[in-house]
Amino acid sequence: MTLPTGVERHDFDGETGLATRGPPVYGEATDGEWRRWDPHRSKLGAMLELGMDTGLVGGETALYLGAAAGTTVSHVADFAGPTYAVEFAPRPVRDLLSAAEERDRLFPLLKDARRPETYAHVVEPVDVVVQDVATRGQARVAALNRQFLGEDGRLLAAIKARSEDVTAAPEDVFEGVLDELREDYAVLSTEPLAPYHEDHLGVVARPR
């Protein structure tokens, strides 16, 4: 799989890993200006490490849902174009703001991904929506934010089984979420994110 422009493999303490060029955010290893993109800390990083065809080429305009403290979205902003980072909880947004101070393409938004009408006036049409929200109704969040994607856009989602139902088998949860997701998206590929993230499913989709 070809990595997006701006994502490379570098050697970190004898181990080769993905890296982007930018200031460190979460204590990750560095190699000069490059910092390791730890797939154990990032679902999107795991998708790339596992060889999923995300369609990312570098330079995309991105909307990141569930940005938390900025671990993954900071890597995205390192190689993408304007990157809108939506996070609902005030505490991690403070760390997200710190990550954005050194990244002029990263725009934090203290908003709820389940209410895109509250940030629709700010977010321009994007090439990719990265969904990393830990909430019930993950397919619904993807449907609500479909409005920001062009016809050739991509949804890159990490479906968390335990966020939907802690009692059901993850495989059953994934199938239910995918069935709902297919009402608004054509699912292009899926991949379990183990061993990096248990009970998570990586999904690449495009809007219908």
Side-chain angles (χ1 to χ4, degrees), residues 131 137-144 159 164 177-178 180-181 184-185:
Q131 181 167 320
Q138 292 166 84
R140 177 64 175 160
V141 172
L144 290 170
I159 305 302
E164 294 287 341
V177 173
L178 289 172
E180 188 177 350
L181 195 63
D184 297 277
Y185 291 88

Side-chain angles (χ1 to χ4, degrees), residues 3 9 14-15 18 23 25 36 47 49-50 55 65 68 98 105 110-112 122 150-151 188 197 203:
L3 293 172
R9 289 194 174 276
E15 184 178 359
L18 298 174
V25 170
R36 180 159 192 190
M47 291 170 70
E49 193 67 70
L50 291 167
L65 307 175
S98 296
R105 297 193 298 267
L110 179 59
K111 300 291 184 181
D112 186 342
V122 177
E151 289 184 6
L188 303 179
H197 302 275
V203 178

Side-chain angles (χ1 to χ4, degrees), residues 7 15 18 27 38 51 53 59 71 77 88 92 100 116 121 125 127 139 142 145 157 186 196:
V7 181
E15 184 178 359
L18 298 174
D38 186 351
D53 184 2
T71 298
F88 177 69
H121 64 292
D127 303 307
N145 286 274
Y196 303 108

Side-chain angles (χ1 to χ4, degrees), residues 56-123:
L56 293 170
V57 296
E60 291 91 351
T61 302
L63 172 61
Y64 195 106
L65 307 175
T71 298
T72 298
V73 74
S74 62
H75 285 290
V76 174
D78 285 346
F79 71 86
T83 302
Y84 302 94
V86 175
E87 173 53 44
F88 177 69
R91 175 62 189 90
V93 166
R94 291 201 288 271
D95 294 328
L96 179 60
L97 287 169
S98 296
E101 285 179 0
E102 298 182 279
R103 291 173 172 83
D104 57 10
R105 297 193 298 267
L106 180 56
F107 304 101
L109 299 170
L110 179 59
K111 300 291 184 181
D112 186 342
R114 296 168 295 186
R115 297 186 59 200
E117 70 276 6
T118 64
Y119 49 86
H121 64 292
V122 177
V123 177

